[in-house]
């Protein structure tokens, strides 16, 4: 962003489904962005569906000069468990963890910042901060508590979240790993 380009955002469309899948995969630790890879058709189909957690309908695309540089998948926690089952049931046998044994990541009254990612060449420019601030704003406009899961080994993300007012609020066992559950109480 140092070259004066304006960061803009827009709701994702079906045409963004593959990028939304990329954001989701990057957020859970698959470094596809670093390797210049894109997710497969099965994950893209999950993001094309309007009935999954990772639907393009739950995503916002952040752009510089009209090109996607980052994304956020976020949603109301109401009805989470049922949507989780719909999301993972079709691909359960291809996963290295049991998605039905995962903790429910969010619940009613919360707005879950599920997945956020920035393309590697645009990191360190404040875009990740902007994306999380945007998610917090969306939660507050809906009257919901902003929450997210943080990998305890990701000290950079942890510093970012705490600088924005997030505090530890328990633990979550998701995707076969332990994460910190963090909430952002109203300021």
């Amino acid at each position: 962003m140092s070259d004066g380009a304006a960061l803009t955002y827009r709701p994702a469309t079906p045409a963004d489904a593959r990028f939304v899948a990329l954001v989701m995969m990057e957020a859970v630790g698959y470094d596809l962005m670093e390797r210049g890879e894109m997710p497969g058709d099965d994950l893209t189909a999950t993001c094309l569906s309007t009935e999954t957690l990772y639907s393009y309908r739950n995503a916002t695309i952040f752009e510089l000069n009209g090109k996607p540089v980052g994304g956020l998948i976020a949603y109301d926690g109401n009805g989470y468990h049922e949507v989780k089952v719909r999301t993972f049931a079709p691909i359960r046998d291809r996963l290295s963890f049991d998605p039905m044994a995962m903790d429910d990541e969010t619940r009613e009254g919360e707005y879950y910042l599920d997945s956020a990612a920035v393309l590697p060449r645009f990191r360190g420019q404040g875009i990740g901060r902007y994306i999380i601030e945007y998610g917090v704003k969306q939660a507050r406009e809906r009257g919901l508590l902003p929450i997210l899961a943080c990998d305890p080994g990701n000290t950079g993300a942890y510093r970012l979240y705490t600088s924005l007012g997030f505090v530890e609020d328990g633990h979550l066992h998701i995707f076969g790993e332990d994460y910190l559950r963090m909430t952002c109480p109203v300021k």
Side-chain angles (χ1 to χ4, degrees), residues 110-160:
E110 298 175 340
Y111 190 72
Y112 188 47
L113 310 184
D114 184 303
S115 302
V118 176
L119 292 173
R121 70 180 178 274
F122 296 100
R123 293 178 186 162
Q125 300 178 36
I127 295 171
R129 172 177 288 278
Y130 184 86
I131 289 172
I132 300 301
E133 287 174 339
Y134 171 86
V136 169
K137 180 178 179 239
Q138 293 300 303
R140 294 208 168 114
E141 286 177 0
R142 291 168 168 80
L144 300 170
L145 177 67
I147 76 154
L148 52 76
C150 179
D151 176 348
N154 189 338
T155 57
Y158 185 84
R159 278 193 308 273
L160 170 63

Side-chain angles (χ1 to χ4, degrees), residues 1-5 125:
M1 290 186 353
S2 59
D3 65 357
Q125 300 178 36

Side-chain angles (χ1 to χ4, degrees), residues 13-150:
T13 68
D16 297 310
R18 195 168 302 275
F19 190 79
V20 172
L22 180 64
V23 167
M24 184 268 296
M25 293 297 291
E26 189 73 16
V28 297
Y30 292 91
D31 298 330
L32 298 183
M33 288 181 172
E34 287 81 356
R35 295 191 310 260
E37 297 176 19
M38 291 300 278
D41 292 340
D42 56 342
L43 288 173
T44 301
T46 297
C47 296
L48 271 170
S49 170
T50 59
E51 302 295 320
T52 67
L53 298 172
Y54 308 113
S55 171
Y56 71 90
R57 291 176 133 184
N58 294 331
T60 302
I61 305 297
F62 295 80
E63 299 178 326
L64 284 174
N65 299 321
K67 302 285 188 205
V69 297
L72 173 67
I73 302 168
Y75 44 81
D76 185 327
N78 189 30
Y80 172 85
H81 186 79
E82 295 77 18
V83 181
K84 176 176 93 170
V85 170
R86 276 198 306 270
T87 300
F88 291 110
I91 59 172
R92 186 176 185 176
D93 61 333
R94 291 182 281 157
L95 300 173
S96 61
F97 61 92
D98 181 1
M100 300 316 149
M102 288 190 336
D103 291 337
D104 282 353
E105 298 169 68
T106 186
R107 56 186 169 257
E108 188 174 349
E110 298 175 340
Y111 190 72
Y112 188 47
L113 310 184
D114 184 303
S115 302
V118 176
L119 292 173
R121 70 180 178 274
F122 296 100
R123 293 178 186 162
Q125 300 178 36
I127 295 171
R129 172 177 288 278
Y130 184 86
I131 289 172
I132 300 301
E133 287 174 339
Y134 171 86
V136 169
K137 180 178 179 239
Q138 293 300 303
R140 294 208 168 114
E141 286 177 0
R142 291 168 168 80
L144 300 170
L145 177 67
I147 76 154
L148 52 76
C150 179

